[in-house]
């Protein structure tokens, strides 16, 4: 096992580890069709992803003519039912994700997920892709009282992962575990920073604005850059 500067690395899911845009767009368009609204393209839906399904649907309805709360409630339920039945048709890990997770594991890093996706959906899609067992902690947008950008789920991810990290150290005395968070949206970066963690933004994700405007401590253009970015981040934050 190679020494590494971070004991814990947390990840967002949609737009960070997984490209879920095709399946989420299909679910949005299913709901829009029920309201006789025009379909949206994947590129139109991508910036709507990150704040949870209801937030995504609100934006889709706003873009196609507006909504009232009764309509939103009805279509939200329809969107969730459709998505649950078609959750992993097009969804795939981004290039380099598996290799990056392997590299972190080889360095003894404990990894967790904090997503605004409903927890059971996050677990289902990870199960479908055979990835669930890689994560010590999987927290969804409904797991706690608040989702991102609240720091609450980030703190909980660190707490749960720290238990596993401590077990890996087999009782060896050391400083409190160091953690970082990786995401693609303003929700991710704000939550990580509010929790006191250095953050890395993914330029290839479902960006709501230019990646340089997110305010992350580092930016990666692909997962081949993750380990070097974490090494550099550890040096800079320790200075």
């Amino acid at each position: 096992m190679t020494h590494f500067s971070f004991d814990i690395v947390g990840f967002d899911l949609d737009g960070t580890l997984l490209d879920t845009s095709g399946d989420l767009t299909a679910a949005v368009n299913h709901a829009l069709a029920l309201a006789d609204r025009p379909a949206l393209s994947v590129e139109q839906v991508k910036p709507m992803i990150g704040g949870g399904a209801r937030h995504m649907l609100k934006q889709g309805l706003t873009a196609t003519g507006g909504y009232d709360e009764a309509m939103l409630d009805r279509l939200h339920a329809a969107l969730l039912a459709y998505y649950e039945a078609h959750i992993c048709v097009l969804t795939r890990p981004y290039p380099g994700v598996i290799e990056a997770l392997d590299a972190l594991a080889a360095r003894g890093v404990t990894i967790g997920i904090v997503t605004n996706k409903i927890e059971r959906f996050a677990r289902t899609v990870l199960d479908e892709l055979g990835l669930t067992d890689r994560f010590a902690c999987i927290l969804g947008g409904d797991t706690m009282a608040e989702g991102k950008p609240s720091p609450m789920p980030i703190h909980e991810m660190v707490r749960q992962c720290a238990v596993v990290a401590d077990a890996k150290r087999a009782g060896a005395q050391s400083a409190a575990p160091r953690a970082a968070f990786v995401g693609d949206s303003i929700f991710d970066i704000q939550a990580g920073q509010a929790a006191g963690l250095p953050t890395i933004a993914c330029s290839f994700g479902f960006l709501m604005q230019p990646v340089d405007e997110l305010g992350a401590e580092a930016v990666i253009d692909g997962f081949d850059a993750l380990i070097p970015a974490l090494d550099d981040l550890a040096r800079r934050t320790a200075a």
Side-chain angles (χ1 to χ4, degrees):
M1 184 180 295
T2 305
H3 174 73
F4 194 58
S5 298
F6 286 100
D7 303 289
I8 296 166
V9 176
F11 292 93
D12 173 52
L13 190 61
D14 300 73
T16 299
L17 292 175
L18 304 182
D19 184 354
T20 56
S21 58
D23 292 327
L24 289 172
T25 298
V28 168
N29 284 336
H30 171 75
L32 292 177
L34 295 176
D36 295 320
R37 300 292 179 84
L40 299 174
S41 69
V42 170
E43 293 307 312
Q44 287 175 300
V45 173
K46 278 183 179 180
M48 302 176 182
I49 301 169
R54 192 176 181 91
H55 173 82
M56 178 176 63
L57 180 58
K58 281 183 180 181
Q59 293 181 85
L61 288 169
T62 299
T64 57
Y67 65 92
D68 58 33
E69 289 301 315
M71 173 188 287
L72 179 62
D73 289 342
R74 174 173 60 85
L75 295 180
H76 182 225
L79 183 154
L80 294 180
Y82 181 93
Y83 184 61
E84 188 165 23
H86 305 84
I87 198 167
C88 201
V89 177
L90 300 172
T91 292
R92 298 291 183 273
Y94 281 105
V97 163
I98 303 303
E99 294 81 0
L101 296 181
D102 286 342
L104 290 173
R107 288 162 172 76
V109 179
T110 301
I111 57 176
I113 287 175
V114 180
T115 175
N116 280 339
K117 193 185 215 70
I118 293 171
E119 182 181 330
R120 77 174 189 276
F121 290 175
R123 291 183 178 275
T124 296
V125 74
L126 290 166
D127 285 345
E128 291 278 344
L129 296 170
L131 296 175
T132 303
D133 291 344
R134 290 177 176 268
F135 302 99
C137 171
I138 301 170
L139 300 178
D142 61 332
T143 305
M144 306 191 70
E146 299 178 42
K148 298 173 294 186
S150 167
M152 183 185 300
I154 305 291
H155 285 307
E156 179 62 14
M157 180 274 295
V158 172
R159 187 193 69 78
Q160 291 190 28
C161 285
V163 173
V164 177
D166 287 343
K168 289 179 182 178
R169 291 196 292 262
Q173 288 189 348
S174 65
R178 292 196 67 193
F181 194 71
V182 183
D184 69 304
S185 78
I186 190 66
F187 302 117
D188 301 321
I189 304 309
Q190 287 180 343
Q193 291 176 340
L197 273 58
T199 59
I200 295 177
C202 301
S203 68
F204 49 84
F206 306 154
L207 298 174
M208 302 173 188
Q209 65 249 75
V211 68
D212 292 340
E213 295 181 5
L214 295 179
E217 284 75 13
V219 175
I220 58 172
D221 298 324
F223 271 93
D224 58 337
L226 179 63
I227 298 297
L230 286 166
D231 277 332
D232 181 65
L233 195 56
R235 287 191 295 269
R236 287 193 283 124
T237 56

